[in-house]
Amino acid sequence: MADDNSMSGRSSSSEHEDQPTSVRTKIKKEPCQPKARKFSVTFKNFRNLPAVKNRGVQSSKFACFGHEWRLQLFPGGYSDYPTPPKGAVGVCVERISTGKWPNIKFLYEVRSPDGNISLQTSGDPSSYKCYSNTSNICALTTRPDIKHRFLDDKRALTISVVLEINEFVPKNPLAATMLKLFGDEESSDVVFEITKKEEKTKKRKREMASSSVQFHAHRFILEHTSSELAALCESSPEGGMNSPIIINDIKAGVFRGLLYYIYGGDIRQEFFVANAKEVIDAADKYGVVNLKLEAEVWYVHSTRITTDNVIDNLLYADAKNLALLKEAVMDYIVKNKKKVMKRVSFKDVPGDIYKDLLAAVSRVLEDSDEDGDDEEDEEKDDYAAMGIGALRQKLDQRGIDIDGSRDTLIAALKKQSRKFK
């Protein structure tokens, strides 16, 4: 259980002469993988923390894997071996309890308030300092960079620390078993046939020739992963068992990727970059929501928004309910407002989109000078200015559906927060 009371302690290493100072922190335990634990440690008023080299500040304590820990931060930089990057803010974990040092790996992550920028660094489990009961100090980034990109509107810095048991733990075999069923003709009970018409020239005559590719699948799996594909099985003659279900509006490679994802496979980055829009269209049509949102991320990061395509991307985002793409378009409009106003016509844009535009203005122009306590109830008031990535992450951590518009995501978070008031 996390403890929010200030603690006092000794230095993270004998070479650091200054005793670490206890500062106001908030610690929150977050969902993580089975053999790991994740804690978000918020250092309040980061701008006011000492900018003196080797002068550490420490968080409140938290319990994990039978030990008590706390985070130490060096906001003014540090000296250690190996020599850290110049001006780098350092972070390490200190074990408060005694006994044998557990075989644990440490991963630190700092994210921008909108969730779109992330920095990660990790600690070697074999490199702890036996004389000080701390892990080696890891470099984050420079103090000016943290102040510019990673503080929230309360001037607080949140560092996520993952403690993972560094022992072999066999994986649950279900995912691998499911993947073995992908394309297994013998056990399948439905066949999809992807047809494509091609124009061929033969002896001065143009003819339309059809080519097709078949994919074998299992209705039971489709019923729990794509209700639309399952419905096609029910509506087709003999349920698609003896006669294939014809699909002619999607490329065979994209459909294969869709099925592969349904069976638990991971899609390669190169495939997303080359086929992001086609994957979005297919996943949207057949109700594979997480695949659609993953493809959306790659589309946003591989597409350069310009005044020539800004309206097309905006209308596409609205039609497919792509909140992240819509946010990227809105941010572009706000940051390039003069150029956009001069060159772009908004006559075909639906009126309800302007609310998203106001949210983008709020994110860009939000006043970050106000300070105050980080009370948990204040979190709900910040939803409107959060980025889509951050909103989706919060919903996913709480087991709530992450598909939908900005308003839908915010409403779901507020509804869930009211349940625990």
Side-chain angles (χ1 to χ4, degrees):
M1 190 73 177
D3 185 358
D4 196 30
N5 296 321
S6 295
M7 304 290 294
S8 60
R10 47 194 169 79
S11 172
S12 63
S13 75
S14 58
E15 64 192 46
H16 299 135
E17 297 179 357
D18 295 314
Q19 291 290 324
T21 305
S22 297
V23 295
R24 297 175 61 206
T25 54
K26 183 176 72 173
I27 298 179
K28 179 181 178 183
K29 186 175 181 180
E30 297 185 7
C32 199
Q33 55 185 314
K35 63 175 184 176
R37 299 292 181 269
K38 182 178 182 180
F39 297 86
S40 289
V41 182
T42 301
F43 289 87
K44 304 180 182 182
N45 299 316
F46 177 83
R47 293 174 184 268
N48 296 334
L49 297 182
V52 180
K53 192 172 185 178
N54 292 332
R55 180 172 295 177
V57 296
Q58 59 191 20
S59 73
S60 310
K61 67 180 181 179
F62 54 92
C64 181
F65 298 134
H67 295 266
E68 287 191 329
W69 313 81
R70 60 182 162 221
L71 218 59
Q72 288 198 16
L73 183 70
F74 295 87
Y78 65 100
S79 58
D80 203 350
Y81 180 81
T83 304
K86 185 177 180 180
V89 172
V91 63
C92 68
V93 168
E94 179 188 9
R95 186 181 62 150
I96 304 171
S97 52
T98 59
K100 182 181 177 181
W101 182 277
N103 191 10
I104 289 177
K105 295 190 295 186
F106 304 100
L107 174 69
Y108 309 98
E109 181 182 44
V110 180
R111 299 184 70 89
S112 58
D114 61 8
N116 291 331
I117 304 174
S118 173
L119 291 178
Q120 290 186 343
T121 184
S122 57
D124 183 352
S126 64
S127 63
Y128 72 94
K129 298 187 174 91
C130 58
Y131 52 82
S132 63
N133 225 18
T134 67
S135 65
N136 270 0
I137 303 174
C138 293
L140 293 174
T141 183
T142 64
R143 183 183 179 100
D145 188 39
I146 287 179
K147 290 162 64 176
H148 176 64
R149 296 196 296 168
F150 296 101
L151 300 187
D152 62 19
D153 60 346
K154 307 299 182 186
R155 299 181 180 177
L157 172 66
T158 297
I159 301 174
S160 295
V161 55
V162 176
L163 291 81
E164 181 179 357
I165 298 175
N166 191 36
E167 303 285 357
F168 171 74
V169 177
K171 293 182 179 180
N172 188 316
L174 178 60
T177 302
M178 283 280 292
L179 205 51
K180 288 178 182 178
L181 293 175
F182 172 69
D184 184 56
E185 183 175 350
E186 185 177 345
S187 64
S188 67
D189 56 7
V190 61
V191 180
F192 295 98
E193 184 169 295
I194 311 303
T195 62
K196 178 182 178 182
K197 291 185 177 181
E198 298 176 335
E199 188 179 83
K200 292 186 176 181
T201 302
K202 185 178 182 181
K203 294 182 180 180
R204 298 182 180 180
K205 293 182 179 180
R206 289 186 175 181
E207 300 176 351
M208 297 303 293
S210 295
S211 62
S212 63
V213 181
Q214 290 190 344
F215 296 92
H216 295 266
H218 305 77
R219 281 190 292 175
F220 174 76
I221 293 177
L222 298 178
E223 287 170 358
H224 292 81
T225 53
S226 172
S227 56
E228 287 74 9
L229 286 177
L232 284 179
C233 299
E234 294 298 327
S235 62
S236 67
E238 301 177 340
M241 293 181 65
N242 298 320
S243 59
I245 299 170
I246 306 299
I247 296 177
N248 55 21
D249 60 351
I250 183 175
K251 293 179 181 177
V254 173
F255 189 78
R256 183 187 186 281
L258 179 79
L259 276 184
Y260 186 68
Y261 184 89
I262 283 175
Y263 279 75
D266 293 323
I267 307 299
R268 291 181 292 107
Q269 172 184 339
E270 296 81 4
F271 183 82
F272 275 125
V273 173
N275 304 279
K277 202 165 187 179
E278 290 88 345
V279 174
I280 290 172
D281 293 341
D284 182 66
K285 180 175 182 177
Y286 295 112
V288 188
V289 173
N290 282 17
L291 177 61
K292 182 185 83 167
L293 300 185
E294 188 173 350
E296 179 194 12
V297 171
W298 288 109
Y299 181 79
V300 169
H301 286 275
S302 62
T303 300
R304 180 173 176 266
I305 299 175
T306 67
T307 53
D308 294 327
N309 65 21
V310 64
I311 294 300
D312 289 339
N313 277 301
L314 182 57
L315 295 176
Y316 181 64
D318 190 59
K320 300 295 181 180
N321 203 13
L322 304 173
L324 186 66
L325 176 59
K326 185 182 288 188
E327 177 183 79
V329 172
M330 293 299 183
D331 288 345
Y332 174 85
I333 292 173
V334 172
K335 293 175 183 176
N336 300 273
K337 52 186 177 295
K338 291 183 179 179
K339 189 194 306 184
V340 171
M341 289 173 64
K342 185 182 295 185
R343 302 180 186 177
V344 178
S345 171
F346 287 81
K347 64 179 181 179
D348 297 325
V349 174
D352 60 350
I353 286 181
Y354 290 101
K355 188 171 183 179
D356 294 287
L357 184 60
L358 290 175
V361 173
S362 175
R363 287 193 303 277
V364 174
L365 303 180
E366 184 183 19
D367 183 5
S368 61
D369 289 333
E370 295 182 7
D371 194 10
D373 293 335
D374 289 336
E375 299 294 338
E376 290 186 7
D377 289 341
E378 291 181 1
E379 180 184 43
K380 299 193 287 290
D381 298 328
D382 296 334
Y383 291 154
M386 276 186 181
I388 293 298
L391 291 171
R392 285 177 176 172
Q393 185 179 35
K394 282 186 175 292
L395 287 166
D396 186 62
Q397 290 172 347
R398 301 174 189 186
I400 306 173
D401 183 19
I402 60 175
D403 190 26
S405 65
R406 169 179 291 279
D407 286 346
T408 301
L409 301 182
I410 292 174
L413 279 170
K414 288 185 175 180
K415 181 179 179 180
Q416 197 262 359
S417 297
R418 284 195 293 269
K419 288 182 179 180
F420 295 95
K421 284 189 70 176

